[in-house]
């Protein structure tokens, strides 16, 4: 006899595994990061190698976060 499985990839249960401590921590960190980013809205000068641009600080922070997330996803994917 084979065990009964549900349509969710073979896992049964009431959804308690959806919110693991690690996922809750990541969601909290993401929320704090977004609050920090959108609270810093003043314009600032940013120099990347040669050009100097003036842009809202939240744009630079958000771009840095996205680049970091992409790098993390890339290295995680390469490891597995």
């Amino acid at each position: 006899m084979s065990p009964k499985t549900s349509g969710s990839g073979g896992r049964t249960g009431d959804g308690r595994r959806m919110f693991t401590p690690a996922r809750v921590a990541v969601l909290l960190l993401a929320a704090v990061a977004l609050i920090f980013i959108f609270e810093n809205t003043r314009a600032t000068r940013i120099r990347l190698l040669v050009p100097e641009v003036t842009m809202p600080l939240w744009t630079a922070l958000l771009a840095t976060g996205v680049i970091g997330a992409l790098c993390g996803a890339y290295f995680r994917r390469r490891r597995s």
Side-chain angles (χ1 to χ4, degrees):
M1 289 189 154
S2 64
K4 293 182 181 179
T5 59
S6 66
S8 62
R11 284 186 271 156
T12 60
D14 56 6
R16 281 185 278 172
R17 297 182 58 103
M18 188 173 161
F19 291 110
T20 62
R23 288 181 182 169
V24 171
V26 168
L27 287 174
L28 287 174
L29 285 173
V32 168
L34 287 173
I35 290 169
F36 178 76
I37 287 170
F38 291 113
E39 285 292 319
N40 290 291
T41 57
R42 70 181 186 281
T44 188
R45 290 185 307 181
I46 297 173
R47 182 170 179 209
L48 180 64
L49 298 177
V50 177
E52 185 174 300
V53 297
T54 301
M55 63 182 356
L57 183 57
W58 71 268
T59 306
L61 291 170
L62 187 62
T64 303
V66 168
I67 291 168
L70 290 173
C71 289
Y74 172 77
F75 286 117
R76 183 175 181 201
R77 187 172 196 172
R78 293 254 320 164
R79 207 169 72 174
S80 56

